[in-house]
Each structure stands twice: as structure tokens, then as C-alpha cells.
Amino acid sequence: MYGKEMVDAIYSEQIVQDYEFNPLIEALPPIFTEDEVIEQLSVFPSFDEKERALNSNYRFHCVQRLFQYFQPFETHLDLEQRISRAIRQGYLHRNPMQREEVMRVHESYQAIKAGNFLKNYQTEAKRTAAGFTIIGLSGIGKSTAIERVLSFYPQLIKHREYKGKPFIFTQISWLKLECPFDGSLKGLCISFFSELDRLLGSNYLNKFGASRNTTDLMLQRMAHLASLHGVGLLIIDEIQHLSLSKSGGSDKMLNFFVTLVNTIGIPVLMVGTNKAISILQSEFRQARRGSGQGDMVWSQMPKDMSWELFVEGMWEYQWTANYTPLTEELSDFIYEESQGIIDIAIKLFMLSQVSAISTGTEKISKKIMKKVANDSLRLVKPMLDALKSGIPSEIAKYEDIRPIDIDEEMERYKASVDLQEKIRIQKKLQQQKREKAEQSLLEDVTLQLLSMDFDSKEIERAVKSVLNKFGEDVEKPTLLKEAVKLLIDKDEIKTENTNKKKKVSQISGNYLGGLMKEARQKKLSVHELFLQKNIVKQPSEEFWEEGEHAALVSNAIS
């Protein structure tokens, strides 16, 4: 078996008497209470505060988790109840343990073998199935809500034994198809066979989907298989495509759905945008059947407590480095820009975070949200303006709201980040290249200067000095020439200082020698001569006065 996981039937006792002794109903999950539905419908994706410190590339992935966020409202509870009733009521008189149902399946089989389209069974069946229709703006959350509710029901249930008797039966509790883009009946039948093959691993598409088969024959086989596999609910999404229908128009397909409901007893749930209203209303009979469980028209979400609950729940998922508390002003702004369309509100919040992260602002603000709204919601702005106006004639101009292509918008912001990252990498590469060239130049010049017997420390100082003066782009000859010049100047200064010291030393030596010669001629001691010349003072004097020869004598004596 491929495509879908199959569960073995577990039969539970029924509280509602009508549902007793029907294995297809007893194998379904129990009828849930409101609290259980809220708990099971709610989806609050995981969130870790530490993720705010991650690199921006990782956080862009985390932001995608907002798509999982699902906050159930009263409408969703209503939807769950309707689907629960529709499936059970549809099975009520399709009990495979009853003789009438077995006879109808046999009758259908005979019709197929004879190549007939069976519109009415000889075996009378009580009409208990009731389909319904959901009409609403695109992005309002119809498909998501339906899928959440359908997830309560295992799609494939395998029956092997019921109340001690062998009962081999594969039950398909629901089947969801999209209305063909061209609204053709043949396209719908092919989708049906293909989906059954995916679920059951069967070969119905090859057997019954050949183009040579007439539409009537394909419809007959489709109805037969729906009955044979106990399809509990048939969901036809995107029924607004019927407006483009060909080969028989929308009437033929709508009539077929009525046949499914009336004669076979399979409830049909039709889902579409506002564009589908005119199609459904054109067929009174269909409009009536579509209202079997009451129509559901999903319009924009009102700004009430449910809205506040939704925004507060969503607001907790912030992956910017800095958290922005939710204020009434921000909540009002999101409502104003999304007009209560959940899909737009979530995408606006997501893209604001992506913008804040990509620009390095790292904090959601009204300014950023406003910019994102102007940039990313421009395609839906005329529709949103029409919704804002509340004027029915203005709203009627737009049969659908084009959803925002989140991938396209993400790519736009990501491209900005990528560009910044590329520039950063290029700058780093340039820096490394420059440093490598400088290093090579320094090594080259230093080696040449060392070969000229200059001191290594002096060379380093000279080269740095030249680089500071002429910049890092200086040519090698200039660097070498200027460094040599500095080093030579330094050497000359050094030599001159050395010569001066030698001269002073020589002068000092000649002067003392002359004084000693004079002392011998005058037959005086050197000390007496020094006293006469006032070079030294009498020891009785407390302090010596500084003279021009004081330091010289002191050094000479020592």
C-alpha cells in the first residue's frame, strides 16, 4: 500500500442511537467536545529564545515556522461540527452490513458492465447526505482550516472483522480534489482515479481514465468507486474554476455533484472564492443542496477579541535580536493593513521580521511594517482598499484576492542580505590580497637594505616611516630610495655625534695636561694651582660654587 498510512478499524460504542451497528461510523474517531476540538486544532510551533542569537541565515528559516501557527476561532469549531455531521450522516444509510447497500453496489456494477450512466437506483435509498459550501476570500484560511479538521480522521481505515463476522473493506473517510483548472468533468474524473491510485495503490486511472471513454461512463465509474470504497466526504476545492468550464459548462458538473449527494449519498463539500458565488446561485438546485448543512461564507475577520487573541499569539514568535512588545497601535496597524485577512497578517509580520534582520535593525517597528506593507502588499492594495471602504460595489470588483508570493518576497530580502554578505567577503578578500602584497614588498625591501649592512631595527623604523608618509600603495623603488635616504641620514647623525664626543674628550685631555705642566713649572701642586685658578675651593667652604670647570675637574680626578 502506498501513498497513505492505513489504520485497522477499531469499533467504538455509539452514544447516538442512529449510528449504532454501522461499522463505517463506529470506526470513526469519537464526536469531540469543543474543548477537545480547540486543543487538537491549535498549532503553536516551537520557539526558543536562544534562536534570536543565531546567524541571520538560520533565523530566516525559523521565521517560516509562523506558517504553522494556527489559532482556532468559533468559525473553525463550527466547521468541525459540520464535517463531523456530514460524514456520519452520509454513512447513515450506506451501511455495508445492510442488504440495500450491497444491492446498490451490485446495481452500480451491472450498470458499468452495460456501459450505462446510472442516475437512479432501483433500490430506494433514504436521502441523508447533505453537503455544504464554503465561500470566502483567498487567504482567509479556508483550506488550512479544512485540512486541520480532516486531520482528525484517518483517511484510510481497513476493516477485517465486524462483530465476529469477516468483513474485508477499505474505507476512505474523505477524499479531497481540486476542481480542474478548465472546469472539465473529464479532468475531475481523472483526478479522482489518480487520487484513488495514490491512496490504494490501485490501477483505476489506466483502467477507466482513457481518453476514449465518454464522460458519462467515467462519471458512472467514479460514483461506483466512491460507493465501493465508502468515501465519507468528497471535498472539491477551487470551484471558482467552474466559471471557465467547457464541454457542458458548470451546470453539468454541478448536476453530477447533486447526483452524488442525492442518489449515492456521498456528501460533497465545495470550497471556493467569492468568484464561485455567481456560479452556485445560477443553479437553484445546487444552491439548495449546497445549503444542506448551511452555507459558510467566510469574510474578513472582524476586529474583535478573536483578532486580539490571534495577534497576541502570533506576536510571541519574534526572531529579531530585540523583542518588541505588542501595543494597541501595532495591533491596529496590522489590522488596517491586512483588513483581517489572516494570511496577509501573518505574511506582513513575517516579512517585517525578515526586513528587520536583513537591514540589521533587529527590531520590529511600525516604520518597518509600514515599509514592508508598501513594498510587499502593493499587488493586493486595491482589494484591501476596497475592503476598507466597505462599499459592496467596490468589493464586488475583486472576485478574488491574489495571495502574496512569500517565496518571492523572501528572495527579495534574502538577495539584499546575500549582496551585503558578498560585499563583505569581497572586502575581506581585497584586504587579504593587499596585506599579502604589502608583506611581499616589505620582505623584498628589507632584504635589500640588510644586504647594504643597515641595522635591522633601523630598517624597520625607516620602512614604516616611509609607508606612513607615502601610503600603502607606494612603489617599491620609491620605498627603497626613501628608506635608504633615511637610514643614511640616521648614520650621518650618529657619526657626527660620535665625533663630537671624541673631540670633547680630546679637548678635556689636552687642557688637564697643560695645567699639570704649568703646576710643575711654578713648583706647585696641582691642587694649589687649581686653588689659584679658582677651579676648586677651600674645603672650609660649605658649598662649592658651580664654575665652568667643575664638572670637568670632578670627572678628571675620578
Side-chain angles (χ1 to χ4, degrees):
M1 191 64 57
Y2 34 91
K4 198 78 179 178
E5 187 179 348
M6 182 180 286
V7 300
D8 287 329
I10 299 173
Y11 306 108
S12 53
E13 192 175 338
Q14 297 298 300
I15 296 172
V16 179
Q17 189 180 357
D18 298 341
Y19 300 155
E20 288 179 333
F21 310 116
N22 187 326
L24 301 186
I25 295 178
E26 290 183 6
L28 294 174
I31 297 171
F32 297 108
T33 63
E34 281 196 351
D35 289 343
E36 290 169 334
V37 173
I38 291 171
E39 187 181 341
Q40 295 203 41
L41 278 181
S42 304
V43 180
F44 299 107
S46 61
F47 178 80
D48 190 336
E49 289 282 342
K50 291 176 185 171
E51 289 175 335
R52 287 193 182 142
L54 291 174
N55 183 283
S56 60
N57 285 329
Y58 293 109
R59 285 185 285 157
F60 288 145
H61 287 262
C62 295
V63 169
Q64 297 281 331
R65 266 187 236 148
L66 269 168
F67 278 129
Q68 301 169 23
Y69 170 61
F70 190 86
Q71 172 67 57
F73 305 118
E74 195 174 341
T75 313
H76 302 132
L77 301 182
D78 185 14
L79 174 67
E80 192 279 329
Q81 285 293 311
R82 288 173 191 244
I83 289 180
S84 174
R85 287 196 301 268
I87 293 180
R88 287 172 170 80
Q89 289 294 313
Y91 281 138
L92 201 56
H93 291 285
R94 287 194 293 149
N95 188 344
M97 307 306 287
Q98 288 181 346
R99 181 171 173 271
E100 290 79 8
E101 175 63 12
V102 176
M103 285 178 67
R104 276 203 300 276
V105 173
H106 183 65
E107 206 174 320
S108 173
Y109 174 71
Q110 285 182 325
I112 288 174
K113 295 298 283 184
N116 297 325
F117 178 55
L118 196 63
K119 290 187 177 178
N120 293 298
Y121 288 90
Q122 293 175 359
T123 310
E124 282 296 320
K126 293 180 182 176
R127 294 174 185 175
T128 54
F132 62 103
T133 307
I134 301 177
I135 297 293
L137 293 167
S138 179
I140 208 76
K142 302 182 297 296
S143 298
T144 307
I146 291 168
E147 284 170 10
R148 290 293 309 149
V149 173
L150 290 178
S151 70
F152 292 5
Y153 298 87
Q155 195 173 9
L156 292 179
I157 303 172
K158 185 68 181 175
H159 299 261
R160 302 179 192 278
E161 185 182 301
Y162 181 68
K163 294 193 182 299
K165 294 181 181 176
F167 174 51
I168 307 300
F169 192 89
T170 301
Q171 176 184 358
I172 300 175
S173 60
W174 55 269
L175 195 68
K176 187 167 180 278
L177 302 176
E178 280 200 3
C179 190
F181 70 93
D182 59 358
S184 71
L185 267 176
K186 201 168 249 187
L188 179 76
C189 294
I190 288 172
S191 295
F192 181 84
F193 298 140
S194 176
E195 184 63 9
L196 281 188
D197 288 347
R198 188 184 71 81
L199 291 171
L200 304 170
S202 53
N203 194 29
Y204 293 133
L205 183 58
N206 283 338
K207 281 184 183 173
F208 308 134
S211 58
R212 64 177 180 277
N213 291 333
T214 63
T215 306
D216 283 348
L217 193 58
M218 289 171 81
L219 285 173
Q220 176 61 38
R221 284 167 174 168
M222 182 176 161
H224 174 72
L225 291 174
S227 183
L228 186 68
H229 293 292
V231 175
L233 178 68
L234 183 63
I235 302 117
I236 310 291
D237 203 355
E238 311 288 358
I239 58 168
Q240 68 275 9
H241 290 168
L242 287 176
S243 63
L244 303 170
S245 63
K246 59 182 183 182
S247 66
S250 61
D251 293 353
K252 199 167 185 180
M253 188 177 284
L254 290 174
N255 280 333
F256 173 67
F257 293 148
V258 172
T259 304
L260 280 179
V261 175
N262 285 351
T263 60
I264 304 173
I266 299 174
V268 178
L269 167 56
M270 290 187 285
V271 187
T273 61
N274 291 1
K275 207 172 181 178
I277 291 178
S278 58
I279 304 162
L280 296 175
Q281 286 179 341
S282 67
E283 269 290 309
F284 170 76
R285 191 164 52 137
Q286 178 55 36
R288 181 176 59 82
R289 294 307 304 177
S291 304
Q293 292 275 347
D295 286 335
M296 295 184 80
V297 179
W298 289 13
S299 56
Q300 61 196 115
M301 200 172 168
K303 192 172 183 310
D304 54 10
M305 288 179 68
S306 295
W307 170 260
E308 296 300 332
L309 183 69
F310 162 73
V311 175
E312 283 172 13
M314 176 182 74
W315 200 258
E316 294 303 312
Y317 295 95
Q318 292 186 39
W319 281 276
T320 47
N322 303 307
Y323 180 81
T324 303
L326 178 64
T327 61
E328 194 175 344
E329 184 188 13
L330 289 171
S331 177
D332 289 346
F333 181 79
I334 294 176
Y335 187 84
E336 187 71 11
E337 293 300 327
S338 68
Q339 283 299 299
I341 297 176
I342 290 174
D343 182 62
I344 292 179
I346 289 179
K347 286 173 180 172
L348 175 62
F349 185 55
M350 281 178 64
L351 293 174
S352 298
Q353 292 194 48
V354 171
S355 174
I357 293 170
S358 62
T359 56
T361 314
E362 294 290 356
K363 190 175 174 67
I364 301 169
S365 63
K366 188 178 174 183
K367 186 180 173 186
I368 287 179
M369 294 176 80
K370 200 167 185 175
K371 187 172 185 314
V372 169
N374 287 335
D375 293 346
S376 300
L377 305 184
R378 60 188 181 281
L379 291 176
V380 294
K381 196 169 187 313
M383 296 77 137
L384 293 174
D385 287 342
L387 289 172
K388 275 183 203 176
S389 72
I391 303 169
S393 58
E394 287 296 314
I395 298 171
K397 290 179 184 174
Y398 306 100
E399 295 170 317
D400 199 355
I401 295 280
R402 180 181 167 179
I404 302 167
D405 188 336
I406 194 70
D407 289 336
E408 187 182 319
E409 295 297 329
M410 284 288 285
E411 278 303 314
R412 196 160 63 83
Y413 286 106
K414 187 77 167 53
S416 167
V417 176
D418 287 346
L419 182 62
Q420 290 177 21
E421 182 65 11
K422 282 176 187 170
I423 290 171
R424 191 182 67 78
I425 292 170
Q426 285 296 329
K427 280 185 175 175
K428 195 170 181 180
L429 287 174
Q430 285 177 356
Q431 175 76 12
Q432 288 175 347
K433 195 175 172 183
R434 190 163 53 242
E435 287 175 358
K436 195 173 177 182
E438 285 173 7
Q439 189 67 24
S440 175
L441 180 64
L442 285 175
E443 286 175 2
D444 210 5
V445 170
T446 302
L447 285 173
Q448 287 197 37
L449 292 173
L450 283 172
S451 68
M452 297 178 194
D453 287 336
F454 288 114
D455 181 73
S456 60
K457 288 185 181 176
E458 295 297 340
I459 290 172
E460 188 180 347
R461 289 194 197 101
V463 170
K464 279 185 181 175
S465 177
V466 176
L467 288 175
N468 287 337
K469 184 179 177 183
F470 290 92
E472 295 170 346
D473 296 329
V474 64
E475 296 289 332
K476 181 183 168 186
T478 307
L479 177 60
L480 188 60
K481 181 182 164 188
E482 292 297 323
V484 168
K485 192 177 171 185
L486 283 177
L487 288 167
I488 290 174
D489 288 347
K490 187 84 177 173
D491 277 355
E492 286 178 356
I493 293 169
K494 199 174 175 182
T495 305
E496 190 178 340
N497 289 338
T498 306
N499 290 338
K500 276 182 183 175
K501 283 182 182 175
K502 283 181 181 175
K503 194 174 177 181
V504 169
S505 176
Q506 286 172 356
I507 290 171
S508 300
N510 293 336
Y511 182 66
L512 286 173
L515 288 175
M516 290 176 71
K517 189 176 178 182
E518 186 180 347
R520 281 197 297 272
Q521 288 173 353
K522 290 181 178 178
K523 299 183 178 178
L524 293 172
S525 66
V526 175
H527 185 254
E528 286 171 340
L529 183 65
F530 281 12
L531 285 172
Q532 285 180 3
K533 287 183 174 291
N534 205 27
I535 295 173
V536 297
K537 291 187 177 183
Q538 290 291 341
S540 58
E541 294 181 12
E542 187 176 358
F543 299 104
W544 291 2
E545 293 180 1
E546 292 184 1
E548 60 178 348
H549 305 293
L552 181 64
V553 172
S554 174
N555 288 336
I557 292 172
S558 63

